[in-house]
Structure formats: structure tokens, C-alpha cells
Amino acid sequence: MSFAFTKDTVRRAISAHSALGLICCALLYLICTTGTAIVLHEEWQRFEQRDAPEMTEIAPASMQRGIENVLASESDGPTTTHLYVHLPTEALPRTTITTDTQAVHVDAQGEIAKPEENAWAEFLLALHYRLNLPAVVGMSLVGMFGAMLVALAISGIVAHPRIFRDAFRLRARRKDDVATLDWHNRLAVWTLPFALAIALTGAMIGLFYVSGSGLAASAYGGDSEAALAPVFGGEPEGDAAPAPVAQTGPALAYMQREYPEVQPYYVILHDPGTAGQHVQIVGEHPRRLIFGEYYAFSGTGEFRGTAGMADGTVGQQLAASTYNLHFGNFGGLPVKIAYILFGLAMTVVVATGTFIWLDKRERRGQQSAGLRAAWWGLVVGVPAGLVATLIVRLAIGNGAPFVTVFWVVCPLVIAAWTLSARRNREREGMSPHPVPAE
Amino acid sequence: MAGDALLWIAAALAIAGVAVLRLSWGRPVRSAPLNIAGWGALIAALVAGDFAAGEWGITVTVLVATFAAFAALAVAALKPARKARAKTVRTSHSGSDEVSPTGRSGWLTFALAGPLALGASLLLALAVRALIVSAGGAEADGNVAVLATVPIAWPTLSFALLMMPRRIAQFGWVLGIAAVSAPFLLLQGGPA
């Protein structure tokens, strides 16, 4: 089967594909590499802090004790506006309480065990999410690269007239330009549904500051929270008058009674210790792509309703499915393994795409040895930078300067690779790259 | 559980579909029956996945099909390389297949396909929202439509612009989409 694109269309598509790929390749490679690594975000957290107390579940009374212990530990400072309790899950069997100023693990009795130390996993997430830049700039940039990945997929399809006919042709053992081309095309074709899902959801998340701001400016007087309220639900009016801390036990008991199939994994206290406080429980729905449903309760445990993530409008369900579909945490370890495999494939597609461009340059007689060495440096440098930060994490601890280490090691590897290649060329005095017969 | 059984059927159909297509596309001559059988099995797999567990079932089925294709590729990768005759190596990316540079300003092309196309796509997305809301759709759907339309419209428009040989056509499309969409800004009108 072949598409009936004209030869001129195919040629233009190849040019467009090359232009887009060249502009995006370096950061896209970084985003794909970190995206593959971050699939194991929960597992990395466990690896980072292996001595944190773990449990398969926590009794509601113990959880309540944990909440009160954490709030008591902050009694001499400003009161937190939100308090999040991460309940034990299969991937992360820990109870962790996060406030505006701290995050601590509690044990099965609700006693504060130790501060949460997952700075490396958070660094990795920030590198993927926003390239360690401020959120507005970084997320928008990553979102733009996600959108360009969509454009690369479309142009790649048009540029490939034998897309189906060649779908299983992989001449990997030729060890020349044709092998590079086959790796690029075959992996790209078969990861196309995955790549489109990842790219579209990533662009939707990343471009929020562009599209959400446009929406807020045009319809909500610039209020982004108001623009999101119809989708994820809004915050009720607060009342700052002091009150006893909300009881979460009745809310959890209600969930167990009325929604036994739903697995609560987050308890959120809004404005704890005030008369306006209220409780939200985020519950996972088995065999759904949505991240969960918000179940709202008053401070006394009276059920107020759901936000509609699971059974609301199509738009709500679509928005709620974006994160899980992007990060691959909707089907346990098997889905995570698939995401890692296909994420690696996408990384290889980006890497080989630039090598194909370099091969073409050389076939046209343009010297590309320096560029090739620099690209090799980046291909090796990004994972090397990540490994260096992990080594630093293990050697120095949670407070290690991960951002500095990564952004020093990665360029150093590129520079070292480029210099080494230049020295080798000078020593050998030979052609920079063997040109295959074609 | 009936859902479990259907999901296993979906997975089996997905693997079978990829296997049949591998068989079909490996033949020297095209086989319409095999192609239909392969595609049919894949479509049936998606339907079974949908019946088993909705969008979750479809997603898992696609992952299984992709995994099966990777297994087939792994087999292909292990096959010994044949010494190809130079002229028979067919690629879709050989250098001579590209259009030669036209001397157009790369920066202007970048501006058109980048920020200008993004701006036009945002206006288009806001127009989609206005249409949804004014047609009686939910405000949530309209708002999510904005967030979802931009990542689809922008890359599609960018690619289309890069395919256009004439600068005037590029400007025409960007400005045209923006001009048609802009009046809908007046219909946003705050919360529905």
C-alpha cells in the first residue's frame, strides 16, 4: 500500500521534515530522554530514600494523627493553605504529608518519620517539564517542542511514500547510512500512535501558559483559575475564622461505603484549621485513563459532590486523561515498561534523524565531521549528565546541585567529544566520515 | 470477568493483525486479502478493547500492537545484511530528493511557521470555543477545546506553511485563519 502523494509533495515534505527536525533536535532529544526516565518517577523516589517507612495501607485514624502532628509541627509559623496526604499506592507505598513549607513521611501509626528526600526525582521531572527554567518559559518551550513533534510526525508520514510497504524492513546489520535510515523510519512508523499521543498531550500540558492565558484573557478577565474552574472545579469561599482541624476519617469511610471500587490516593485539606476548611479526596478509577476523580467533603465529612472528571463532560474527561496518557501511569508496571521501550525508540528516532541529515550533507560533499562529533556529544552527553546527577545524589545527598551538575556535564561531554574527534582527524589526516556507495 | 476476556481477545487480535500484515508486506506481490485481514484484525482489536474497557482498553490494545510490531522489527534487525546492489537501495530520504533552497528568508519562514502560526492557531481555538458555547455546549468542553485545539492546529498549520512554495500563499493562510477567527473574540463573553 502506498499513498498517492506526488513526487514534488514528497520532496517538499522531506525538506519541511528536515527543517523542523534541525530546529528541534537538540532539545527534543533532551525532552525524549528525560521523558523516558521520568516514567519511573515513583520508583526513583523509592530508590532515592530507601529507608522511608512503607506500608500497603494506613488506618484513617493514623492518617488523621499524622495530619495533626504535621500541623502541630508548624504551629509557630504561618498556617499552611493546603495540606496534601499521599496515601500508600502500589507504585509508591508510602504515606507522605506535604504542606506549603515541608513534606514528611509518616509511619503506620501517624508519627512523623522523616522529611521526604526526593530532590533528584523532582530535578528530573523539572528538567523534562520545564528544562529547569521558570515555569512560564520552560513549560511553554517544552509544549512548543511537543507541538513540533506532531509536525514532524505529519511531515514524516508525507515524506515516506512507502510507509506501509517498508514497515517491517530493518536492515540493521548493514552498519551504514541505510541502517541508520531504517532505524529512524521503522521506529518512527511503529511508534507513531504513541508519539502522537505523547506529543499532543505534552503540547496540551506545556502550551497551557499560551492557550490557557489566551482563554483567560479573552473570556475571564485574565483569571486563569476561573478559566479552569468549569473543568476541574473551583474553590469554595473561604472563612479564615479558627476551627478544629477537619476530620478526614468520615470522608474516607464514606468513600469506602459508597465508592468501594475507587482507590483513594490523595487527601487534600484546603485551608486547614479554619471555619472554611474543606476536604477533597482524589480517587483512582480502575481501568480509566483519568488521573482520578475529586470527591469533595465539608470539614465535618459531609459529602458535597464530585468534580466530574470521571463522568462529567467529554472535555472534562479528556482533560483528566491528559496526564496519565502522557506519563504512562495508568496500567502498572507493564504499561510503564511499554512507555520506557517506546520512549527509548522515540529518543533513537530523534538521534538518528540528525545523523541522517549529517549523512546527506556529507553525500553532497559538505564537511560535517565537527557537527557529527557535536551531535554524538549531545547524544552521549544527555544521559551522561543524568547519570552524573544520580551519582552526585548518591554521593552528596538530597541537597546536591543537580541543575548545575547536569548543565555543566552535558556541555562538557559535547566539547570533549568534539575536541577528541578533531584530534583524531588531525592525527589520522583522513576523511571525516566514510561515504557509502549509493 | 467478561471485560478481562474481551481485553485478552483484543490483545490477541492486535498481535494477529500485526503478524498478518508482516506476512502480507513481506511478499513480493501485494495481497489484498491478507492486507484486509491484517487491517481488519487491528480494527477488531480496537473495537474489542473499547468494549472491554473504553478508552483505557483502546490504549492498552494500541500498546500491545506496537509491542508486537517491535518484536517483528527485532527479528528483522537480527537478519544478516545482504550485500545490496548500490542502485537498488531505496530510501525516501536520499539527498537528491529534497527541494533545493529557494533563497527565501529563513527567519521570515520561521516567524510565519512559528509565532505567527501559533497566534493564528490560538485565535482559531478561541473561535472553536465560541462556536461550542454559542451552540449550547458545556463551558468545560469549550475551554478544553481551546487547550486541545492549539496543539493540533499549530503543527498542522506550520507543516502546511512549510509545504507552500509561494510566500504569498503562506501569508494568505496565516492571515486568513486569523481574520476569520478574530471576530469570535467578541463572542467569548465570559463564563457561559
Side-chain angles (χ1 to χ4, degrees):
Chain A
M1 190 184 293
S2 64
F3 286 121
F5 291 123
T6 65
K7 194 168 183 183
D8 188 50
T9 303
V10 171
R11 287 168 59 198
R12 287 190 185 287
I14 294 171
S15 293
H17 192 71
S18 297
L20 287 167
L22 270 183
I23 291 170
C24 300
C25 60
L27 284 181
L28 205 52
Y29 178 78
L30 171 62
I31 293 166
C32 287
T33 308
T34 52
T36 304
I38 208 63
V39 170
L40 296 174
H41 187 232
E42 285 121 336
E43 287 76 5
W44 288 125
Q45 290 182 67
R46 290 181 76 182
F47 176 73
E48 269 195 271
Q49 199 174 18
R50 292 182 290 277
D51 56 351
E54 299 206 333
M55 62 210 83
T56 53
E57 60 181 347
I58 184 166
S62 299
M63 190 191 71
Q64 183 69 28
R65 199 175 307 124
I67 290 170
E68 288 168 8
N69 284 337
V70 170
L71 288 174
S73 75
E74 297 183 352
S75 57
D76 55 346
T79 311
T80 187
T81 57
H82 291 84
L83 182 144
Y84 304 86
V85 185
H86 173 271
L87 299 173
T89 59
E90 195 181 330
L92 193 59
R94 298 173 173 185
T95 304
T96 310
I97 299 180
T98 306
T99 66
D100 292 350
T101 52
Q102 64 169 335
V104 293
H105 298 296
V106 298
D107 63 21
Q109 286 71 47
E111 300 300 325
I112 296 174
K114 53 182 57 185
E116 184 185 43
E117 294 191 336
N118 59 354
W120 187 79
E122 292 306 303
F123 151 76
L124 191 60
L125 188 64
L127 182 56
H128 177 71
Y129 235 87
R130 52 183 171 84
L131 306 172
N132 299 135
L133 293 168
V136 176
V137 180
M139 274 183 68
S140 301
L141 205 54
V142 172
M144 288 173 186
F145 278 86
M148 287 306 105
L149 189 56
V150 178
L152 280 165
I154 300 169
S155 56
I157 294 166
V158 179
H160 197 324
R162 287 167 56 90
I163 189 165
F164 293 125
R165 195 75 185 154
D166 287 347
F168 292 103
R169 187 172 184 165
L170 181 52
R171 294 158 288 185
R173 290 173 70 177
R174 279 178 58 115
K175 295 182 172 46
D176 60 7
D177 294 7
V178 176
T180 311
L181 200 61
D182 274 4
W183 276 115
H184 180 81
N185 289 344
R186 296 305 95 77
L187 293 181
V189 164
W190 284 109
T191 53
L192 189 62
F194 174 79
L196 280 176
I198 297 296
L200 283 171
T201 50
M204 199 170 154
I205 296 166
L207 286 175
F208 173 76
Y209 282 109
V210 176
S211 50
S213 300
L215 168 65
S218 66
Y220 296 91
D223 185 348
S224 294
E225 280 186 25
L228 287 183
V231 183
F232 296 103
E235 287 245 357
E237 282 294 310
D239 180 350
V245 175
Q247 291 297 310
T248 52
L252 285 169
Y254 181 90
M255 290 296 298
Q256 202 164 20
R257 192 171 63 247
E258 300 295 327
Y259 299 100
E261 76 287 359
V262 173
Q263 179 67 45
Y265 68 94
Y266 254 108
V267 175
I268 307 170
L269 262 70
H270 296 257
D271 304 315
T274 70
Q277 67 189 330
H278 57 106
V279 178
Q280 268 184 323
I281 291 179
V282 187
E284 184 185 334
H285 286 230
R287 293 196 171 178
R288 293 291 307 272
L289 289 181
I290 56 167
F291 66 83
E293 174 64 278
Y294 290 115
Y295 296 85
F297 296 86
S298 70
T300 54
E302 189 182 321
F303 181 58
R304 286 176 169 169
T306 61
M309 302 289 95
D311 57 359
T313 69
V314 173
Q316 285 181 291
Q317 295 186 47
L318 193 146
S321 302
T322 305
Y323 288 89
N324 279 5
L325 191 55
H326 187 78
F327 290 105
N329 46 1
F330 57 86
L333 200 55
V335 169
K336 284 188 175 184
I337 290 169
Y339 265 61
I340 290 168
L341 178 65
F342 304 152
L344 278 173
M346 277 176 66
T347 309
V348 170
V349 168
V350 176
T352 50
T354 305
F355 283 125
I356 290 167
W357 178 78
L358 289 166
D359 291 343
K360 275 190 222 170
R361 269 177 61 94
E362 287 170 357
R363 279 201 297 271
R364 287 197 297 260
Q366 295 169 280
Q367 289 292 315
S368 306
L371 283 172
R372 182 180 290 277
W375 182 246
W376 262 118
L378 184 95
V379 167
V380 176
V382 169
L386 293 178
V387 170
T389 56
L390 185 58
I391 291 169
V392 165
R393 169 68 179 88
L394 296 173
I396 298 177
N398 203 47
F402 303 114
V403 175
T404 307
V405 169
F406 178 80
W407 290 105
V408 167
V409 168
C410 189
L412 270 180
V413 172
I414 296 171
W417 211 279
T418 310
L419 280 174
S420 168
R422 183 183 293 173
R423 281 204 193 117
N424 284 343
R425 285 201 308 279
E426 284 169 358
R427 200 177 317 131
E428 292 170 9
M430 55 185 288
S431 169
H433 182 64
V435 179
E438 178 120 16
Chain B
M1 243 171 92
D4 275 347
L6 259 180
L7 205 58
W8 282 110
I9 291 170
L13 282 168
I15 294 167
V18 171
V20 172
L21 287 177
R22 168 71 189 84
L23 188 69
S24 174
W25 295 340
R27 291 158 70 105
V29 183
R30 290 183 189 191
S31 164
L34 279 177
N35 274 354
I36 291 167
W39 285 115
L42 286 177
I43 291 166
L46 294 177
V47 172
D50 185 28
F51 274 108
E55 82 287 354
W56 187 89
I58 291 175
T59 309
V60 169
T61 305
V62 170
L63 291 179
V64 171
T66 310
F67 206 89
F70 269 49
L73 282 182
V75 172
L78 291 173
K79 279 187 181 168
R82 276 187 303 177
K83 205 69 186 169
R85 290 164 291 161
K87 291 295 177 191
T88 62
V89 175
R90 294 188 63 168
T91 73
S92 62
H93 286 267
S94 56
S96 59
D97 277 352
E98 274 197 62
V99 288
S100 54
T102 57
R104 292 196 307 201
S105 161
W107 286 108
L108 188 53
T109 304
F110 178 80
L112 271 164
L116 290 175
L118 175 58
S121 302
L122 180 57
L123 287 173
L124 177 69
L126 291 169
V128 170
R129 176 188 186 270
L131 288 171
I132 289 172
V133 173
S134 61
E139 189 184 357
D141 287 346
N143 291 4
V144 174
V146 176
L147 307 182
T149 301
V150 172
I152 297 170
W154 181 33
T156 308
L157 180 58
S158 287
F159 169 61
L161 293 174
L162 291 175
M163 294 289 284
M164 290 173 193
R166 296 172 62 209
R167 187 70 85 195
I168 190 85
Q170 293 178 322
F171 272 108
W173 272 93
V174 172
L175 296 177
I177 288 171
V180 169
S181 305
F184 287 95
L185 283 176
L186 301 172
L187 298 176
Q188 298 297 320

